[in-house]
Amino acid sequence: SSGCSSDPAQTAAVEEDEKHYGAEQHEQLLQQFGGAYSGPESQYLKQVGENLARTAGLEGDCTFSLVNTDVTNAFAVPGCYI
């Protein structure tokens, strides 16, 4: 099912194989871009991300990370790692 449904009866799910693959890719991205940033901006990102994930039926399934780099970019990998 789609993670973009506005129907609360439809729930999205992150498949286990996606979670496993995404966890590996997420770790590589963190290493490549200086690790995870843990300042107040990171907490804000997680709060906004969790609100969006909840709306998409993915509450608690996603990982939101702000990387510690001056490079402006955004990444998302399978398994809901953003």
Side-chain angles (χ1 to χ4, degrees):
S1 69
S2 171
C4 295
S5 173
S6 61
D7 181 358
Q10 291 183 338
T11 58
V14 178
E15 301 292 328
E16 286 302 316
D17 57 337
E18 290 177 341
K19 287 182 183 181
H20 179 72
Y21 176 77
E24 291 174 354
Q25 296 301 308
H26 180 250
E27 190 60 39
Q28 290 177 8
L29 285 169
L30 290 179
Q31 289 177 8
Q32 183 177 352
F33 288 95
Y37 179 75
S38 60
E41 296 89 348
S42 179
Q43 293 304 313
Y44 176 74
L45 170 73
K46 289 177 184 179
Q47 180 182 19
V48 170
E50 283 299 326
N51 286 339
L52 291 170
R54 184 174 26 264
T55 301
L58 294 167
E59 185 172 6
D61 285 339
C62 299
T63 299
F64 300 93
S65 301
L66 187 61
V67 292
N68 192 15
T69 183
D70 291 334
V71 175
T72 302
N73 213 324
F75 304 97
V77 295
C80 205
Y81 287 88
I82 302 167

